[in-house]
Amino acid sequence: MFDNLTEKLDSVFKKLRGQGRLTEDNIKQSLREVRLVLLEADVNFRVVKDFVASVRERAVGQEVLKSLNPAQQVIKVVRDELGRLMGEGEDNGLNLAARPPVPVLLCGLQGAGKTTSCAKLALMLRREKRNPLLVPADIYRPAAIEQLKTLGKQLDIPVFDSSPDVDPVKLCLDARQYAELNGYDTLILDTAGRLHIDEALMAELQRIKQALQPREILFVADAMTGQDAVNVAESFNQQLDITGVILTKLDGDARGGAALSIRAVTGKPIKLVGLGEKLDALEVFHGDRMAQRILGMGDVLTLIEKAQAAVDKDEAQAMEQKLRKEGFTLETFRDQLKTLKKMGSMESLLKLIPGAGKAMKQAGDMQLPDKEFKKIEAIINSMTPAERRDQKVLNGSRRMRIAKGSGTTVQDVNQLIKRFTEAQKMMKKIQKLGPKGMKSLMGRGGMPM
Amino acid sequence: MDLIFRCIEWLTETAALVGVPEPHRSWVAMVLLWAGVAVVVVLGFVLARRLLRNVAGKTAPKIEPVVEEPAVEEPAVEEPVGLLLRMRAGLAKTQASLVGRIDALLRGSQGVDEDLLEDLEEILITADLGMKTTQQLIQSLEARLAKGQASDPAAIRIALKEEIRQRLARESAPMDLQRATPFVIMVVGVNGVGKTTTIGKLAHQFVRQGKKVVVGAGDTFRAAAAEQLEVWGQRAGVDVIRQSAGSDPAAVAFDAIKAAQARKADVLLLDTAGRLHNKVHLMEELKKIRRVLDREMPGAPHETLLVIDATTGQNALVQARLFQESVAVSGVALTKLDGTARGGMLVAIGDELGLPIHFVGIGEGLEDLRPFDPDLFVEALFREDG
C-alpha cells in the first residue's frame, strides 16, 4: 500500500549505495519525500511540518541509521507515527450512555453531507436496537426539512415535524419533549450548514448546545477538503467543543489528508466515515486504513470503483467458479478481456496501474489500443475450444489458420501465445511468493518484459 | 489454484483499506485480479508489437487538426470598479491570508534568498495551489532571480502576480448567451458543492438581465432536490420543470428542453444530481443526459458548467479533469469563496486544463454569484492595501 512512497524512498536510498553509511543529510532527503506525499494528499502544511519533525526525531534516533533497509525503516516510522496520530487502537464508538432521549448534534459547513449523514446514523442506530428520532433544525436552506423527511420515510424512521418559521433552539427543545413523550431514546439533530466565521449562526449552534447538552457533537467534514480543513475544524471545535468527526464522501478518490489535519488540530477522534450514496454506507472509522490511504491509494481506488461498476457479485462468483474449475487458460483469459472492456478503455485503465503508463510512453505514444485489444480477441475467437483450453497443441498450421481467421499475422498469434504463456508462468511464480508477490505485481505493473 | 485465493485475500484487504463496504470486498478483489492479469498480458502483447514496429521505423506521428474557435466578447454586465469592490469584499479573507502574508513576508525580509522562497512556497501551498503549481511558480521565480530580473521583494511580488495571472487568463472565453435560443447550461459537479444554489442565483441574475429562463430539475436522486430548486424558482420567478423523485434524469432533460423551446425561453438551466467523478455508472448517466440534449437540440448543452467548492483541495483538479473527459466541461463556477478557503486550485485548473472560470460564489445572497474576471481576481488578490 505504501508502494508510492516506498518507491520514492527506495530511489533516495539507492543513491547512497557505496557510501557505506547513512548521514543525517540522507534522512533529510527522504523526509522531504514524506513531506511531499503528505502535502499532495492535502494534509495541512502545519500538520505536515510537525509530523515530519516527529518522524525525524525517531529516524535520527538510530532506528534508521543502523538498519539494513533504510527505506523500509523510514516507512515503518512514518506508518507508526501516522497510526499513532490517527488514533490507532482507540475506541471510536459513539458514547450514548445517558438518560434518554440522548441528543446527538451534527454540524459543519454547507454541503459537507450533514443531512445524509443524519439519516445514515439513524439507520445505524436503529440496527443497534435504538429508537432514534430525526430532527431537522436547518430552517435556512430551501427544502432541507423536506429532504430529511423524505429520507426518514425511505428508512421508516420518524422525523420531527419541523417548520422553517420556528427558531432552531425552540425546535430542538420541542423535539426533545416530543421524544420523551413518545419513547424515542436518541435525538439526531440536523443543523444548517454554516461557515465557521459566521458569528450569528455559530452563536445559534452554541445556544442549541446550551439548551440540549448533546451527548455527542459530531463535526461533519468532507474528505476532499484541502488546506482549509484545519481552520474550519479548529473553529468549530473551539466554539462547540466537538466530541468527534464524521468524514464524508470517502468513496471518492481524494486521498483524504484532511482527516489527518482535523485529527491533529482538534485532537478529537474521527468516529464514522461515509462511503457512498446509499443510506447504509456509513461505517466505523479505521485509523490504519486512513493512514494508508493518505500515503497514496488514489489510483487503486478508482480502479476498484471501476471494477465494482463493471461486474456484479454473481458474475464475479461465476468467474471464480470457472477459474477454479478450468484454471488459467485462454478461455478464461477471454472472459477476463470482456470484463476489462467493461471497465473502460484500456488507456484509462493503464493509467491507473503505476508503471504501466511509463512503459507505454517508452514504447511510443499513449494512444492505447482498443484496436489491438480487438485483435487479441479476434485471435482467441479464431481458436477451437480445445486450443483455448491448452495452447500447447498450437502447431504451425493451426497458427496459420488462426491468423487467417482473425485477420492477423502469424507473428501476432505467436506473440500473443508467448505473452500468455509467460503470464501463466507468472501466476505460478506468484503462488510461491504469496500475497506479497501479488502486491508487487499490482503495485508496479510488474511486466514480464 | 491456491494462488488465486491468496491473491484474493490480499486484494480483499486492499478493498477494505479503501473503504469498499464489507459484503462486496471479496468479489471486488476477484474482479481486480481478473482484470490485472488480463492487463499484463495485453500490455505485453502491445508493447512487444510496438517495439517491433518501432524498430521497423513504421511509426508515423499523428497530427491533430487545430481548430480555432472565435472568441466572442460578452458586454460587461457591471462597471469594473463596482465589481472590483464587491469581489474584494468577498475575497477579503483570501487577501488577508494569502496576500497579507506575502506582503508581511516580503516587507520583513531584506533580500531574496532561499528562505524567502521556501516561505513563499508555504504560503502558496496553504492556499491550495497544489504542489505542482506551487513548484512551477517557485521555479519560475528562481529563474527570474537567476536572470537578475527580480532582485528585491517588490519585484518578486510583481513577478508572482504576473505568473498567477498568466495561468488564470489562459483561454478565457466568456459565455455568449446569444449563441443559441434557448441557450442550454448544464450544471454538474460532485455532491454538496452548491449546484442547486448556483442555479438559483444564476436564474435570478438572468431574469434581472431581462432573459426568460426555464430551469430543469435534473437531480432526481437526492431527497427533496427538486423541492429545493422549486423554492429557488419561486424566488427568481422562473418555471421549474420537474418529474417525480427517482425518475430518469435524461427524461427530465428531454422535458426541460422541450418546455424551454415551447415557451421560447432564452436560457435553460439544467440541474443534475451531485456525483463523485470516480463513479463510472453515474458519469455514464451524465453522458446520456448530454446525448439527449444534443439530440433534441443539436449543439446543446451550449455550456457545461462544473461547480467546484473552494474548500476542496487537490481533488478539485481530478474532478475537473474527469468531468471534462466525460461531459466536455466548458467552464467552472467556484463556490463558497466567502469562507477562509482560498480557492487556490483555481490556478491549477486554469493552467492545466485551460478551463475558464465563469463565476465565483462569494456569499449567501442572490447577488453574490459574480462573473469571474481573471484580471480582477488577481488584482483583488494583490492590491497594495490588501
Side-chain angles (χ1 to χ4, degrees):
Chain A
M1 254 5 65
F2 290 79
D3 289 350
N4 212 343
L5 186 59
T6 310
E7 246 171 65
K8 281 181 185 164
L9 291 184
D10 269 336
S11 70
V12 168
F13 288 114
K14 222 171 259 167
K15 288 179 209 145
L16 312 171
R17 276 199 193 127
Q19 285 183 16
R21 42 174 277 187
L22 290 166
T23 64
E24 202 169 320
D25 203 43
N26 306 146
I27 300 277
K28 202 171 154 192
Q29 208 176 340
S30 64
L31 289 177
R32 198 172 298 150
E33 293 294 342
V34 174
R35 171 179 177 269
L36 207 65
V37 166
L38 293 177
L39 284 175
E40 277 170 356
D42 283 327
V43 181
N44 181 267
F45 193 90
R46 259 160 51 202
V47 178
V48 172
K49 225 171 188 174
D50 292 348
F51 180 79
V52 170
S54 68
V55 171
R56 175 183 295 128
E57 209 169 284
R58 281 191 54 189
V60 174
Q62 301 303 312
E63 280 179 55
V64 173
L65 292 177
K66 280 182 182 165
S67 78
L68 286 172
N69 188 342
Q72 282 303 326
Q73 206 57 38
V74 172
I75 295 278
K76 186 176 174 300
V77 175
V78 169
R79 191 187 326 199
D80 289 353
E81 280 294 299
L82 262 183
R84 196 180 54 82
L85 241 174
M86 300 300 305
E88 213 166 20
E90 265 173 37
D91 178 22
N92 292 335
L94 294 179
N95 177 8
L96 299 177
R99 200 173 70 86
V102 186
V104 176
L105 182 138
L106 272 68
C107 58
L109 294 179
Q110 291 95 337
K114 287 173 297 301
T115 307
T116 307
S117 295
C118 278
K120 288 178 176 177
L121 183 59
L123 179 63
M124 189 183 226
L125 291 179
R126 192 180 58 188
R127 286 182 177 167
E128 292 168 9
K129 302 277 183 270
R130 294 189 75 93
N131 190 11
L133 175 69
L134 286 164
V135 184
D138 179 358
I139 58 166
Y140 304 100
R141 181 165 61 97
I145 295 174
E146 200 56 42
Q147 186 183 350
L148 197 59
K149 280 183 182 167
T150 311
L151 291 172
K153 207 182 284 172
Q154 281 172 22
L155 296 172
D156 197 23
I157 287 174
V159 180
F160 184 68
D161 192 18
S162 307
S163 140
D165 317 318
V166 185
D167 174 66
V169 182
K170 182 168 185 308
L171 211 153
C172 291
L173 286 170
D174 289 350
R176 180 167 66 182
Q177 203 173 21
Y178 177 84
E180 265 167 16
L181 289 175
N182 292 281
Y184 297 110
D185 58 12
T186 318
L187 283 178
I188 301 176
L189 310 173
D190 180 25
T191 63
R194 63 203 73 211
L195 286 172
H196 52 295
I197 48 171
D198 187 330
E199 282 166 21
L201 282 180
M202 288 307 280
E204 178 198 281
L205 271 184
Q206 279 167 332
R207 282 191 292 130
I208 296 179
K209 183 188 171 185
Q210 278 300 317
L212 276 101
Q213 299 294 332
R215 193 73 185 161
E216 291 274 0
I217 299 176
L218 301 172
F219 171 64
V220 182
D222 185 329
M224 297 181 278
T225 315
Q227 296 283 324
D228 199 41
V230 288
N231 300 328
V232 181
E234 209 167 24
S235 186
F236 268 92
N237 190 37
Q238 269 167 13
Q239 296 180 57
L240 292 166
D241 190 24
I242 60 172
T243 59
V245 178
I246 300 181
L247 201 63
T248 60
K249 305 180 205 173
L250 212 56
D251 49 329
D253 57 1
R255 302 254 299 275
L260 191 59
S261 306
I262 292 171
R263 168 79 204 197
V265 296
T266 63
K268 299 294 165 61
I270 295 166
K271 296 197 165 180
L272 299 165
V273 291
L275 289 171
E277 296 187 333
K278 296 226 175 71
L279 291 173
D280 58 357
L282 185 74
E283 285 192 9
V284 173
F285 174 76
H286 292 279
D288 47 343
R289 288 184 196 166
M290 196 64 223
Q292 306 205 25
R293 177 179 173 131
I294 287 170
L295 287 180
M297 292 278 315
D299 289 351
V300 185
L301 273 172
T302 316
L303 192 62
I304 288 177
E305 262 306 321
K306 287 197 166 172
Q308 268 183 297
V311 191
D312 67 22
K313 198 179 170 182
D314 296 339
E315 279 180 277
Q317 271 163 355
M319 292 186 331
E320 193 182 331
Q321 286 293 326
K322 201 169 172 189
L323 199 58
R324 206 190 304 205
K325 223 169 73 194
E326 300 178 17
F328 184 52
T329 64
L330 280 163
E331 183 79 44
T332 39
F333 176 63
R334 187 169 61 165
D335 292 344
Q336 289 177 345
L337 286 179
K338 274 186 201 142
T339 314
L340 201 57
K341 240 164 71 184
K342 267 200 249 166
M343 284 169 69
S345 75
M346 279 290 292
E347 190 179 345
S348 65
L349 276 174
L350 271 177
K351 271 192 219 152
L352 298 179
I353 300 179
K358 224 184 283 167
M360 284 311 298
K361 252 183 213 153
Q362 278 165 4
D365 54 299
M366 260 300 285
Q367 293 285 320
L368 226 197
D370 287 311
K371 230 177 20 193
E372 316 238 17
F373 202 85
K374 277 189 195 133
K375 206 171 262 179
I376 295 177
E377 273 194 315
I379 293 176
I380 302 179
N381 284 339
S382 303
M383 296 177 185
T384 65
E387 287 166 346
R388 282 198 283 266
R389 272 195 296 274
D390 183 6
Q391 74 273 20
K392 285 194 196 79
V393 301
L394 290 171
N395 56 25
S397 71
R398 279 176 189 259
R399 289 183 193 216
M400 192 96 82
R401 188 202 80 235
I402 291 164
K404 266 189 194 147
S406 57
T408 55
T409 64
V410 177
Q411 280 145 324
D412 287 338
V413 178
N414 288 342
Q415 198 57 248
L416 178 67
I417 301 303
K418 202 172 144 201
R419 291 299 150 204
F420 177 76
T421 312
E422 270 167 2
Q424 258 183 339
K425 270 188 216 148
M426 193 170 65
M427 295 281 277
K428 277 181 194 135
K429 253 186 226 161
I430 298 165
Q431 188 168 21
K432 283 175 205 149
L433 289 171
K436 231 181 140 191
M438 189 62 201
K439 177 177 165 178
S440 70
L441 162 78
M442 288 298 286
R444 305 220 172 100
M447 290 295 313
M449 296 282 300
Chain B
M1 289 239 101
D2 178 41
L3 92 102
I4 300 292
F5 301 107
R6 292 173 80 174
C7 294
I8 287 173
E9 218 168 85
W10 174 74
L11 284 164
T12 310
E13 185 56 24
T14 310
L17 282 174
V18 301
V20 176
E22 179 52 90
H24 303 296
R25 270 167 206 159
S26 60
W27 70 261
V28 166
M30 181 65 218
V31 176
L32 278 183
L33 171 72
W34 204 241
V37 173
V39 164
V40 168
V41 175
V42 173
L43 195 62
F45 175 76
V46 170
L47 281 183
R49 282 174 40 87
R50 276 276 150 81
L51 288 176
L52 284 176
R53 212 170 48 186
N54 282 359
V55 170
K58 276 189 211 154
T59 14
K62 254 194 245 161
I63 298 162
E64 294 287 332
V66 180
V67 185
E68 274 183 37
E69 277 181 39
V72 190
E73 290 291 323
E74 194 188 27
V77 185
E78 199 172 337
E79 72 286 12
V81 178
L83 182 55
L84 180 64
L85 283 175
R86 293 195 71 127
M87 279 191 75
R88 284 189 56 204
L91 290 168
K93 293 285 184 262
T94 319
Q95 246 173 294
S97 42
L98 176 61
V99 181
R101 286 166 64 200
I102 291 179
D103 277 346
L105 178 66
L106 294 175
R107 240 177 260 131
S109 72
Q110 297 305 310
V112 181
D113 54 17
E114 275 295 304
D115 284 350
L116 178 75
L117 287 178
E118 222 161 85
D119 290 343
L120 272 180
E121 186 187 26
E122 172 181 344
I123 292 167
L124 294 174
I125 288 171
T126 46
D128 278 326
L129 267 86
M131 284 309 295
K132 201 175 156 198
T133 310
T134 299
Q135 281 173 349
Q136 282 173 0
L137 285 171
I138 296 294
Q139 272 163 17
S140 64
L141 285 184
E142 278 170 344
R144 283 177 192 238
L145 266 177
K147 280 190 222 154
Q149 281 174 351
S151 48
D152 61 284
I156 283 277
R157 189 179 189 286
I158 292 168
L160 192 60
K161 182 167 146 184
E162 255 175 43
E163 292 283 345
I164 294 179
R165 189 202 302 256
Q166 233 176 44
R167 283 166 167 76
L168 278 172
R170 201 176 286 182
E171 271 188 52
S172 177
M175 252 189 226
D176 176 23
L177 295 185
Q178 314 298 331
R179 226 171 68 207
T181 314
F183 187 86
V184 181
I185 303 175
M186 176 161 130
V187 180
V188 299
V190 300
N191 314 64
V193 288
K195 285 177 296 301
T196 308
T197 307
T198 300
I199 287 182
K201 291 176 181 174
L202 273 178
H204 170 81
Q205 293 187 5
F206 287 139
V207 167
R208 244 190 25 162
Q209 289 169 28
K211 309 269 185 213
K212 182 165 171 53
V213 180
V214 168
V215 173
D219 182 355
T220 55
F221 179 78
R222 202 196 49 169
E227 283 80 359
Q228 185 183 351
L229 200 58
E230 255 176 0
V231 175
W232 282 106
Q234 278 161 18
R235 285 183 194 171
V238 302
D239 297 343
V240 176
I241 307 299
R242 59 172 291 193
Q243 289 186 6
S244 57
S247 50
D248 181 1
V252 178
F254 178 88
D255 279 2
I257 200 161
K258 285 289 169 216
Q261 283 168 336
R263 296 173 202 190
K264 303 203 170 14
D266 300 301
V267 182
L268 167 64
L269 288 161
L270 184 67
D271 195 9
T272 63
R275 65 202 71 218
L276 291 170
H277 47 286
N278 57 338
K279 307 266 178 197
V280 179
H281 58 295
L282 292 180
M283 295 308 270
E284 288 299 325
E285 179 186 272
L286 218 48
K287 286 185 200 166
K288 181 179 166 196
I289 297 174
R290 240 190 109 85
R291 281 198 300 273
V292 167
L293 290 175
D294 187 50
R295 194 183 65 209
E296 295 314 312
M297 183 183 179
H302 308 95
E303 178 76 36
T304 304
L305 192 65
L306 173 69
V307 182
I308 288 183
D309 182 333
T311 56
T312 311
Q314 306 293 297
N315 200 244
L317 188 61
V318 186
Q319 287 171 21
R321 193 179 292 135
L322 290 186
F323 271 101
Q324 195 183 26
E325 275 172 18
S326 300
V327 286
V329 169
S330 54
V332 173
L334 190 77
T335 57
K336 309 185 198 174
L337 205 55
D338 47 334
T340 45
R342 305 166 197 160
M345 287 309 288
L346 208 83
V347 180
I349 289 170
D351 186 32
E352 274 188 40
L353 303 176
L355 280 176
I357 321 294
H358 286 311
F359 304 99
V360 285
I362 49 177
E364 303 250 312
L366 276 171
E367 303 292 328
D368 289 331
L369 186 74
R370 310 301 313 173
F372 177 80
D373 179 317
D375 284 336
L376 286 179
F377 180 78
V378 180
E379 208 58 52
L381 279 175
F382 283 87
R383 288 283 292 211
E384 288 291 342
D385 54 1

